[in-house]
Amino acid sequence: MGHMTIDGRHVEFSDEKNVLTVIRNAGIDIPTLCYVSELSTYGSCRLCIVEDDRGKTFASCSEKPRDGMVIYTNTPRLMRYRKLILELLLAAHERDCTTCVVSGSCHLLELAQRLCVDDVRFKNTREPQPIDRSSAAIIRNPNKCILCGDCVRMCSDIQGINAIDFAYRGTDALVTPAFNKTINETACVGCGQCRVVCPTGAITVRNDVMPVMEALADRNAIVVAQIAPAVRLALGDKFGLPKGTNVMGMIVNVMHRLGFDEVYDTTYGADLTVLEESKEFLERLSSGSGLPLFTSCCPAWVKHCETKYPELAQHISTCRSPMGMFSAVIQEYYKNPEKNEGKRLVNIAVMPCTAKKEEIRRPESKNKGVQNVDYVLTTEELASMIERSGIVFDKVDIESADVPFGIGSGSGMIFGVTGGVTEAVMRRLNQGHDRTAMADIKESGVRGMEGIKEFTYRYNGRDLSFAVVSGLANADKVMEEIKSGEASYDFVEVMACPRGCIMGGGQPAKSGPRTRTARYKSIYETDINTQIKKSDENPMVTMLYEGLLKGKTHELLHRNFEEAQREREAAEQ
Amino acid sequence: MLDQSYYDKTDAIIQLRGKEERFLIPIIQDIQEAYTYVPPELLDYVADKLNISEAKAYSVASFYENFSFEAKGKYVIRVCDGTACHVRKSMPILEALTENLGLSKRKHTTDDQLFTLETVSCLGACGLAPAVTVNGKVYPKMTPEKMLSLVEQLRKENE
């Protein structure tokens, strides 16, 4: 506790970790480029520079608050410094702003305008670097990198991967994988969190809008899309709607107008996942082997686990992800000539996720060597399609998703947030459907935005032990404990992105604590407003098991390990 | 893939220095000492052993000019470009060598693996400026002409 004087105003502070936070809490938005509150402090951009009463300047992000400090944040001298810093950063930055994909959301550009940088007097002396398009998820353009290191710290602090880091020094410094390898040669899992924090266009999402547009224009194609739970809570951000607004009805309408033949709801696919994963969990529980069961919905987590903990990979559920199951079902459904009208099927998935772009290419995701999903579009890509079309989004009507795959349960909906998969499975395990049972589950410790949650839940006279994790560095902690025997669980849910898919790498970027709270609340509100709470009570799911899925659950709903084996052998030859 | 002996040697070095992240630099110094350069495979191997990522290890190693990831030539020529040598015209020596050996800013070793050209910031032999070392032997008060004739002599010895 203490107080300081900021620009002549008296300001109280308590346990803020640095002066910058105190200043921001006092309602002054000091510019920064290398400061992300969740990551370790780096102090390289120097934009948060402030001045004390003795004229000493320092970076406020790297200074602890002290009682009695007197600070000025906006003196002419500081303005000059900040402007020069930005000018120098801009000089070494590929400034093709008019055609840059992130122009509208570029933090560097925004600050340059805010701080009135009207001229760049210096030449760019950096050697041009090749653009890395090797990843199915992200594209890396080092020429736009300003070396703030946000991506590096995200990748190491939060995700524990550290696929990229600084290399060389001085004017030669670069953010790159080791030995200038390409991203696909690293342990990158495609989570896209680096791109979320990148203040420029140095890391962007691979864009698949054009091929989808081509498919929509093709009269011989039937184009079907599924919408993931988290997409509907975030798309509205791009069109100025209040944060967290559920715009599913508008998405369905606008996608029909864009030419999609059918628009389905991935919550339906999530319901299939709940049934299959619960079944697998119960089997493993009764046989007592293969525990803990790891969830398999998050492709970034699956890849991370396989790469870093191959000895534990058999704990990963054999289930496909909700998108994977659903797309395989859609493929099967449209094999029927009555349904496909003699046209070819183009299967699209709209996801909050960049790693899904990699998932669809994995052999385990395929059937008979064919991809089930043709293209994954992120929430941002869907927004860009809408913008391009000229349809005024906030004026569109609402529509409900198409039959027969447009109905999902509340359990399917909450897949979009950390703890959702686990809660859905717990609901399924619980035979009853009374309000107390649902409330018990809700209060069990499964909810909340913490990175690691541990709790037990009584089932069939036995205390089942759960761990719910988001962020891969957190997953590493849990995995190390499992390996050493320090902890033992029956069920472990992991989502790579902190707080789950609502904050996925494909969601509209520049989303802070307010956005995440709004999305978090909204996803549970949607659950509350859904009459069907449990996946097994979704009548359309029951129908599917009695019809199309008969004798095909293994083929369509579980990962195709035979295919993976074949591809491995082919690669070895 | 390197010969198994490289990995055994590296294991011994890690054993000697300690299996901790903070010993990364001494470990790769020892590796460079043993092989005149740091084979990329070994950097990856060390990173794995110290439980850090390859990108992190590369970040540290590439920061220092002294670490090389390419096999060096039989003769390692180091041209001193410290302040004293610089003002006493070390640059023309470097330029003459670069041209004569067909090297560039990015290419440090000749195709025949005979010569590697490096610059150093100071050899601590300022009184002998401009100084050059070949495989550790100091050649004082060099000129481009003397340098080129030395290179010629070394070439002849290897014919």
Side-chain angles (χ1 to χ4, degrees):
Chain A
M1 272 302 280
H3 81 277
M4 61 174 76
T5 311
I6 299 176
D7 297 334
R9 281 172 63 222
H10 181 84
V11 176
E12 301 260 334
F13 65 89
S14 51
D15 57 350
E16 284 87 345
K17 67 173 178 179
N18 49 28
V19 172
L20 175 66
T21 315
V22 182
I23 296 171
R24 285 199 170 158
N25 288 346
I28 299 166
D29 183 20
I30 287 243
T32 55
L33 279 166
C34 75
Y35 183 77
V36 177
S37 57
E38 288 182 289
L39 307 176
S40 49
T41 305
Y42 188 50
S44 74
C45 80
R46 315 310 283 181
L47 282 175
C48 68
I49 190 168
V50 294
E51 196 172 338
D52 68 9
D53 50 345
R54 282 176 294 180
K56 187 189 156 217
T57 57
F58 57 88
S60 60
C61 69
S62 309
E63 195 77 19
K64 282 224 162 77
R66 288 189 310 273
D67 194 36
M69 274 180 139
V70 177
I71 284 171
Y72 299 94
T73 67
N74 271 315
T75 62
R77 178 178 169 214
L78 294 173
M79 302 256 188
R80 273 200 307 277
Y81 284 177
R82 289 196 192 120
K83 193 172 162 183
L84 180 63
I85 291 166
L86 268 178
E87 195 181 334
L88 287 164
L89 284 174
L90 286 169
H93 171 80
E94 184 181 272
R95 291 198 308 284
D96 58 353
C97 299
T98 48
T99 52
C100 178
V101 285
V102 300
S103 260
S105 56
C106 178
H107 192 44
L108 180 65
L109 179 58
E110 184 200 317
L111 287 185
Q113 286 169 346
R114 221 179 93 186
L115 304 184
C116 305
V117 181
D118 46 11
D119 188 18
V120 177
R121 293 164 292 172
F122 314 105
K123 268 204 195 105
N124 189 353
T125 53
R126 294 209 297 181
E127 255 179 63
Q129 300 291 327
I131 297 173
D132 179 0
R133 299 176 195 276
S134 65
S135 153
I138 54 163
I139 294 171
R140 217 171 50 84
N141 181 351
N143 304 308
K144 292 190 180 174
C145 177
I146 56 165
L147 303 173
C148 69
D150 287 346
C151 54
V152 172
R153 291 187 300 284
M154 178 55 84
C155 196
S156 58
D157 292 6
I158 304 292
Q159 300 298 47
I161 306 266
N162 208 182
I164 44 176
D165 210 316
F166 290 99
Y168 320 113
R169 73 158 123 177
T171 49
D172 292 328
L174 276 181
V175 169
T176 171
F179 297 105
N180 292 318
K181 287 181 185 171
T182 51
I183 283 287
N184 63 341
E185 295 172 294
T186 69
C188 171
V189 294
C191 72
Q193 288 297 319
C194 50
R195 158 272 150 182
V196 172
V197 291
C198 179
T200 74
I203 303 181
T204 51
V205 180
R206 172 177 290 279
N207 189 305
D208 291 309
V209 167
M210 249 357 257
V212 175
M213 294 273 213
E214 303 281 359
L216 290 173
D218 183 353
R219 281 157 194 255
N220 295 314
I222 179 157
V223 186
V224 173
Q226 54 168 307
I227 315 296
V231 172
R232 67 201 66 175
L233 310 174
L235 186 78
D237 287 17
K238 293 295 270 188
F239 301 98
L241 296 172
K243 301 279 186 189
T245 310
N246 184 338
V247 294
M248 183 62 179
M250 296 160 89
I251 293 177
V252 176
N253 181 289
V254 81
M255 286 181 76
H256 280 151
R257 285 173 66 179
L258 286 170
F260 287 87
D261 294 291
E262 306 289 335
V263 181
Y264 298 136
D265 191 339
T266 310
T267 51
Y268 179 88
D271 281 335
L272 296 173
T273 306
V274 175
L275 294 190
E276 289 303 308
E277 202 154 322
S278 303
K279 193 167 143 231
E280 187 182 2
F281 184 41
L282 288 176
E283 280 165 10
R284 293 198 190 199
L285 270 179
S286 65
S287 74
S289 69
L291 291 173
L293 178 69
F294 298 158
T295 56
S296 59
C297 312
C298 173
W301 151 245
V302 169
K303 185 173 175 192
H304 182 61
C305 183
E306 287 173 347
T307 317
K308 197 158 178 193
Y309 309 100
E311 71 280 14
L312 293 174
Q314 81 275 12
H315 289 271
I316 306 173
S317 164
T318 61
C319 290
R320 295 179 185 224
S321 68
M323 175 194 79
M325 290 192 177
F326 194 12
S327 57
V329 165
I330 291 171
Q331 281 282 357
E332 188 68 21
Y333 181 78
Y334 281 96
K335 276 185 188 158
N336 182 345
E338 267 181 46
K339 307 289 180 206
N340 65 28
E341 301 161 21
K343 298 175 178 176
R344 74 183 170 100
L345 172 71
V346 180
N347 207 345
I348 312 287
V350 185
M351 297 282 137
C353 181
T354 47
K356 291 277 170 197
K357 288 177 186 268
E358 282 187 4
E359 178 191 336
I360 59 172
R361 300 181 186 203
R362 290 181 57 120
E364 294 96 310
S365 309
K366 295 178 184 171
N367 280 101
K368 302 196 172 72
V370 179
Q371 268 181 223
N372 283 322
V373 176
D374 294 284
Y375 303 103
V376 167
L377 296 178
T378 60
T379 310
E380 285 227 324
E381 284 169 272
L382 177 61
S384 120
M385 267 182 88
I386 297 168
E387 278 166 359
R388 228 192 269 197
S389 74
I391 298 172
V392 181
F393 186 72
D394 50 0
K395 293 219 172 100
V396 301
D397 295 327
I398 58 169
E399 251 180 272
S400 52
D402 292 307
V403 286
F405 306 125
I407 299 178
S409 74
S411 289
M413 184 64 203
I414 55 174
F415 262 58
V417 68
T418 173
V421 183
T422 308
E423 185 167 346
V425 168
M426 289 163 76
R427 288 182 189 177
R428 164 75 181 130
L429 294 182
N430 198 305
Q431 291 303 323
H433 182 174
D434 50 289
R435 253 177 293 173
T436 36
M438 291 296 139
D440 278 351
I441 292 173
K442 185 181 161 189
E443 301 302 328
S444 64
V446 69
R447 292 202 185 176
M449 288 204 261
E450 301 84 2
I452 302 178
K453 292 171 282 186
E454 293 167 296
F455 60 93
T456 54
Y457 177 70
R458 190 125 190 109
Y459 173 72
N460 254 356
R462 194 187 149 178
D463 280 325
L464 298 181
S465 166
F466 288 83
V468 172
V469 185
S470 69
L472 291 174
N474 287 331
D476 283 340
K477 285 184 206 152
V478 170
M479 294 300 271
E480 291 304 332
E481 282 179 13
I482 291 173
K483 269 170 68 178
S484 70
E486 252 174 87
S488 95
Y489 303 102
D490 296 302
F491 189 95
V492 179
E493 174 197 309
V494 181
M495 290 186 184
C497 295
R499 299 165 194 92
C501 315
I502 49 171
M503 300 307 285
Q507 296 280 62
K510 274 175 70 181
S511 39
R514 251 181 306 149
T515 310
R516 73 172 83 111
T517 313
R519 287 180 193 165
Y520 179 85
K521 273 174 72 179
S522 179
I523 205 163
Y524 286 114
E525 270 166 25
T526 310
D527 172 40
I528 292 168
N529 289 325
T530 312
Q531 287 189 320
I532 306 165
K533 290 279 179 288
K534 296 176 60 175
S535 302
D536 47 310
E537 289 172 1
N538 183 344
M540 302 313 258
V541 167
T542 321
M543 248 168 65
L544 195 75
Y545 271 94
E546 284 160 5
L548 180 143
L549 275 177
K550 253 203 181 120
K552 287 196 168 148
T553 49
H554 182 76
E555 180 192 337
L556 299 178
L557 306 185
H558 289 264
R559 290 188 286 150
N560 190 346
F561 294 107
E562 297 83 7
E563 185 81 34
Q565 182 67 24
R566 257 199 304 280
E567 277 201 14
R568 257 198 307 278
E569 280 163 11
E572 272 162 21
Q573 275 167 14
Chain B
M1 194 66 188
L2 294 171
D3 186 75
Q4 184 56 36
S5 68
Y6 282 75
Y7 296 97
D8 294 341
K9 174 89 188 161
T10 305
D11 280 335
I13 291 170
I14 295 172
Q15 176 85 25
L16 182 76
R17 292 292 182 181
K19 205 168 159 179
E20 283 178 55
E21 189 178 338
R22 64 196 170 111
F23 297 126
L24 174 65
I25 291 177
I27 290 169
I28 50 181
Q29 277 176 325
D30 287 358
I31 292 173
Q32 175 143 306
E33 183 86 29
Y35 301 111
T36 71
Y37 77 110
V38 182
E41 295 92 335
L42 289 188
L43 188 70
D44 191 17
Y45 184 74
V46 170
D48 200 42
K49 290 279 167 189
L50 302 185
N51 205 15
I52 56 176
S53 78
E54 194 191 7
K56 174 65 70 195
Y58 186 67
S59 172
V60 172
S62 68
F63 184 85
Y64 299 99
E65 191 90 7
N66 184 45
F67 290 121
S68 162
F69 305 109
E70 283 160 14
K72 290 191 183 169
K74 187 173 174 190
Y75 300 103
V76 178
I77 306 173
R78 292 207 169 109
V79 179
C80 183
D81 194 33
T83 315
C85 291
H86 187 84
V87 297
R88 301 205 59 165
K89 299 195 169 56
S90 59
M91 274 293 125
I93 303 174
L94 184 72
E95 278 157 19
L97 273 172
T98 306
E99 198 199 321
N100 183 279
L101 299 174
L103 300 174
S104 68
K105 203 187 160 198
R106 298 247 166 250
K107 191 175 178 224
H108 302 284
T109 301
T110 54
D111 293 331
D112 58 8
Q113 291 286 309
L114 203 55
F115 296 102
T116 293
L117 179 61
E118 292 173 353
T119 57
V120 283
S121 293
C122 184
L123 287 169
C126 307
L128 309 176
V132 171
T133 62
V134 178
N135 287 355
K137 186 178 172 202
V138 181
Y139 292 84
K141 303 199 170 148
M142 287 303 271
T143 62
E145 295 71 31
K146 272 160 81 180
M147 192 67 234
L148 292 184
S149 68
L150 177 60
V151 165
E152 212 41 55
Q153 186 195 328
L154 292 172
R155 267 203 196 108
K156 280 215 178 90
E157 281 173 21
N158 276 280
E159 265 168 14

